Amino acid sequence: MTPTDTAQHVRPPAAAWRNLVVATVGFALTFWAWNLIAPLGSAFGDSLGLSSFEQSFLVAVPVIVGSLGRIPVGALTDKFGAKLMFPLVTAATIIPVLLVTVARDSYLAMILVGFLLGLGGTTFAIGVPLVNSWFPPAQRGAAIGIFGMGMGGVALSGYFTPRIAKHGENLPFYVVAVALAAYVVVAWFLISDNPNRPIPTDSLGHRLGKAGRLKVTWELSALYAIGFGGIVAYGTYLPTYLKTWYELDPVDAGTKAAGFALVTVVFRPIGGWLSDRVHPAVVTSWALGVVALWAVVQAFEPPLAPGGTIDLLVMAAGLGTASGSVFALVAQVTPQPQVGSVTGIVGAMGGLGGFVPPLVMGAIYSAKGSYSIGYMLLSDLALAGCVYAYGRMRNAKPQDPSAS
């Protein structure tokens, strides 16, 4: 089977499923590492005497490198393959994970380590082109959706990190470092690149330029910034929000935030699966419409039980579905040799979409003592994405590589 095979009846080889499973596990572990600071954000805030905005900035910082780093990492994956890039990036992530243990008494040091910790967020741009190359187009939506379940590393972090920290403040970082080291070995032996995948021969800058000149790259980036950006924003800020507004203790806040993340994980492959059967733009539109509606409800600050819990979980389902459907659309309209480059740019914009909201929420709460304005802004963005996905992206056609 070649990556360009479009036959509906083609069954992926066993290697496709092996790579999908191994890549998904690696994505989950590196995302756990990427999100290590957020579940302990309130604890760092108390120990370092941080304001609400400073705490928000601390938990959001890893998103910067995790987002922008996807652009070169995705393009390098097109060139060198996931067999090299996955273990290499995973191994590099171990360093900042361990550095947290020696930087935790200084806010400036934590900010610097947080930038480096963002390496863990770049593996998304490695896994998508790997999975995309092994599965035929008719099954890529579901396959990429399954890979996207690796963002459940945020849920793992939210649930386990504060619990492990109760047995030793540095223990979570040691546990994750050991897990990452074990995965490096597993990935080196079990990940394999599709021998028929097209390997670009032009330079990194030229390939990124070609991807950047595709109109659909930026349209998908905007939609992904809302869908996945919302997930990242909640993953990093929800523990702080629950502790600040609903006065939960850090462990309880982390547990509930993990539940939110788990719902996004479950609904991401559902978004991909639906996109294989309904146009992914339609799925995206409906999903963002749900987010827009329920964000308005949450802006009225209902009690956590049951209203607030229901609101947050429904928004989680909508954001998870939209994240899966947007990347199903990427697989449909992106030339195969440029999937990694486009994925890097779209993934970067999605991650950056998650960097801004925690800062906005922290600033709004510091100024107004309420999060209502922040939720109304989320509703406005989701509604804009809903309208654009339905009105424009339903008509998006596969891009001609020569046109870029």
Side-chain angles (χ1 to χ4, degrees):
M1 180 181 63
T2 66
T4 58
D5 196 340
T6 59
Q8 292 280 342
H9 65 277
V10 171
R11 297 181 62 182
W17 297 105
R18 185 191 70 243
N19 280 283
L20 175 58
V21 171
V22 177
T24 303
V25 171
F27 184 26
L29 286 175
T30 51
F31 249 47
W32 184 348
W34 190 37
N35 195 53
L36 268 172
I37 293 177
L40 303 175
S42 59
F44 285 122
D46 293 339
S47 65
L48 297 173
L50 306 180
S51 67
S52 178
F53 179 80
E54 288 173 330
Q55 184 176 321
S56 300
F57 187 71
L58 175 62
V59 301
V61 156
V63 177
I64 297 176
V65 173
S67 304
L68 295 179
R70 291 175 186 176
I71 298 176
V73 167
L76 288 170
T77 301
D78 281 340
K79 180 71 173 180
F80 298 107
K83 181 173 180 59
L84 172 65
M85 293 299 296
F86 230 129
L88 181 63
V89 172
T90 303
T93 304
I94 297 173
I95 298 172
V97 168
L98 293 176
L99 284 177
V100 176
T101 64
V102 298
R104 61 182 307 138
D105 294 327
S106 166
Y107 183 60
L108 177 59
M110 284 294 294
I111 293 295
L112 295 175
V113 171
F115 274 97
L116 298 177
L117 199 59
L119 282 170
T122 65
T123 56
F124 179 75
I126 303 174
V128 169
L130 172 68
V131 173
N132 199 64
S133 70
W134 277 108
F135 285 84
Q139 299 175 41
R140 283 176 186 162
I144 293 174
I146 292 172
F147 168 72
M149 292 180 73
M151 68 185 185
V154 174
L156 292 174
S157 183
Y159 184 83
F160 287 110
T161 299
R163 284 169 167 76
I164 297 173
K166 293 176 71 174
H167 300 283
E169 62 180 13
N170 290 327
L171 188 58
F173 307 100
Y174 296 141
V175 169
V176 172
V178 170
L180 291 173
Y183 179 76
V184 170
V185 177
V186 171
W188 181 256
F189 286 104
L190 294 184
I191 286 182
S192 59
D193 295 307
N194 190 321
N196 296 312
R197 72 182 183 92
I199 300 176
T201 56
D202 48 352
S203 68
L204 173 64
H206 186 247
R207 281 182 283 125
L208 289 175
K210 288 173 65 178
R213 287 192 293 273
L214 290 172
K215 180 182 179 182
V216 75
T217 298
W218 302 106
E219 293 173 318
L220 293 168
S221 292
L223 293 175
Y224 200 60
I226 300 171
F228 184 71
I231 293 173
V232 172
Y234 269 112
T236 57
Y237 196 71
L238 191 56
T240 299
Y241 169 67
L242 293 173
K243 180 178 181 293
T244 303
W245 187 250
Y246 290 108
E247 300 180 340
L248 302 182
D249 64 73
V251 173
D252 197 17
T255 300
K256 286 182 168 54
F260 176 94
L262 182 61
V263 172
T264 65
V265 169
V266 171
F267 275 84
R268 180 156 186 155
I270 291 176
W273 179 81
L274 287 172
S275 296
D276 287 337
R277 290 152 180 80
V278 183
H279 197 291
V282 175
V283 178
T284 302
S285 178
W286 278 99
L288 292 180
V290 168
V291 174
L293 175 62
W294 287 89
V296 172
V297 176
Q298 188 62 24
F300 286 93
E301 301 172 342
L304 186 58
T309 299
I310 293 173
D311 292 346
L312 293 173
L313 292 179
V314 171
M315 282 192 286
L319 292 170
T321 301
S323 296
S325 59
V326 168
F327 260 94
L329 192 56
V330 170
Q332 281 192 10
V333 301
T334 304
Q336 179 64 32
Q338 294 177 255
V339 169
S341 299
V342 173
T343 294
I345 295 173
V346 174
M349 296 304 104
L352 289 177
F355 174 73
V356 177
L359 301 181
V360 172
M361 289 294 232
I364 289 174
Y365 184 77
S366 295
K368 301 293 185 181
S370 171
Y371 290 104
S372 294
I373 295 175
Y375 277 104
M376 292 304 296
L377 291 174
L378 171 61
S379 177
D380 291 342
L381 282 173
L383 182 60
C386 167
V387 172
Y388 193 85
Y390 192 83
R392 151 66 187 159
M393 299 309 292
R394 282 184 305 150
N395 301 316
K397 302 297 182 183
Q399 302 292 286
D400 181 1
S402 63
S404 59

